[in-house]
Amino acid sequence: DSGVTQTPKHLITATGQRVTLRCSPRSGDLSVYWYQQSLDQGLQFLIQYYNGEERAKGNILERFSAQQFPDLHSELNLSSLELGDSALYFCASSVSGQGNYGYTFGSGTRLTVV
Amino acid sequence: DQQVKQNSPSLSVQEGRISILNCDYTNSMFDYFLWYKKYPAEGPTFLISISSIKDKNEDGRFTVFLNKSAKHLSLHIVPSQPGDSAVYFCAALNTGTASKLTFGTGTRLQVTL
């Protein structure tokens, strides 16, 4: 157990629908990152939150949004889903700004859009 | 624009031999590099890292080498064990901006008996 909890582990939904992926960071970690891994692709950075505020944005589609709540958990909302959104979505957390640059990843949510 | 590249999608090595995984980067602002290991149905786990002020970092069977002039790093695993079979991701960041990690596409290592 890495300490980063992602729910649900698997999600199957139809095109056009909306889903919410949830992430609880490791205790003490203020930063949360969302990554997408499509088939045979690397980990594509989507968005970062630090202590409730958006810190950095990557190639995140306008149909996707995220937020980090006061208790530091984060949610990634995916709407108007398309077949191409099927992927593994990983959340990671870190203690930013303290010389520790590694992330701790959750086990991911596998999203299948049918 | 793929700033971190792992040009070998897969690698097969015999147990006991050396595994060498390669990674190239294009962004000269990257000054910290990490390797992650990923098993199926699990998230990536941190393996080893290196700062740009060093050219080598060793941790047990794992050694990372950094060649800044060539913008190239490599991960050596000696001796390779069947449990090392996994996907290995190279990642990089600019510590000055505390930017996010940029990952390569991964290399699948298979250690055979």
Side-chain angles (χ1 to χ4, degrees):
Chain A
D1 181 9
S2 68
V4 178
T5 304
Q6 286 189 252
T7 56
K9 289 194 183 305
H10 302 275
L11 200 48
I12 301 176
T13 190
T15 54
Q17 295 298 304
R18 172 190 168 94
V19 296
T20 297
L21 313 184
R22 182 188 168 103
C23 169
S24 294
R26 198 177 53 165
S27 177
D29 286 356
L30 300 178
S31 276
V32 169
Y33 308 81
W34 287 97
Y35 282 83
Q36 178 194 56
Q37 185 186 19
S38 301
L39 190 64
D40 293 332
Q41 297 294 310
L43 292 154
Q44 300 295 319
F45 171 70
L46 295 178
I47 197 164
Q48 176 199 359
Y49 279 85
Y50 176 76
N51 203 20
E53 294 191 4
E54 183 183 302
R55 174 66 69 90
K57 220 168 190 177
N59 297 323
I60 187 167
L61 300 171
E62 285 191 11
R63 301 182 286 109
F64 295 2
S65 65
Q67 54 185 325
Q68 186 179 28
F69 295 87
D71 66 353
L72 300 177
H73 91 270
S74 178
E75 293 181 355
L76 179 67
N77 300 297
L78 316 176
S79 61
S80 303
L81 284 167
E82 302 175 358
L83 295 177
D85 296 328
S86 295
L88 268 169
Y89 291 84
F90 288 103
C91 167
S93 71
S94 74
V95 180
S96 293
Q98 295 189 17
N100 176 4
Y101 303 110
Y103 297 173
T104 301
F105 280 85
S107 56
T109 293
R110 181 174 292 281
L111 173 66
T112 303
V113 182
V114 297
Chain B
D1 177 26
Q2 192 71 30
Q3 297 186 62
V4 179
K5 301 177 186 179
Q6 294 177 258
N7 292 318
S8 298
S10 64
L11 175 68
S12 183
V13 172
Q14 268 191 325
E15 182 181 11
R17 307 293 287 267
I18 183 172
S19 296
I20 300 176
L21 296 93
N22 293 304
C23 177
D24 297 293
Y25 62 98
T26 57
N27 189 338
S28 58
M29 298 302 291
F30 288 149
D31 60 355
Y32 199 83
F33 305 89
L34 307 92
W35 285 93
Y36 279 80
K37 175 178 177 180
K38 185 183 178 306
Y39 292 117
E42 295 182 12
T45 55
F46 170 74
L47 192 57
I48 192 170
S49 63
I50 187 167
S51 164
S52 61
I53 62 173
K54 294 185 174 181
D55 55 17
K56 176 182 173 182
N57 189 26
E58 191 172 352
D59 184 1
R61 296 185 297 113
F62 303 91
T63 302
V64 57
F65 295 92
L66 175 63
N67 182 335
K68 282 187 296 184
S69 60
K71 294 192 178 66
H72 176 85
L73 63 157
S74 61
L75 174 68
H76 293 211
I77 307 174
V78 183
S80 300
Q81 298 174 353
D84 296 329
S85 297
V87 177
Y88 290 79
F89 290 97
C90 167
L93 85 160
N94 175 352
T95 60
T97 61
S99 62
K100 83 297 193 247
L101 286 177
T102 299
F103 284 85
T105 51
T107 296
R108 183 178 303 276
L109 172 66
Q110 176 88 32
V111 179
T112 59
L113 298 174

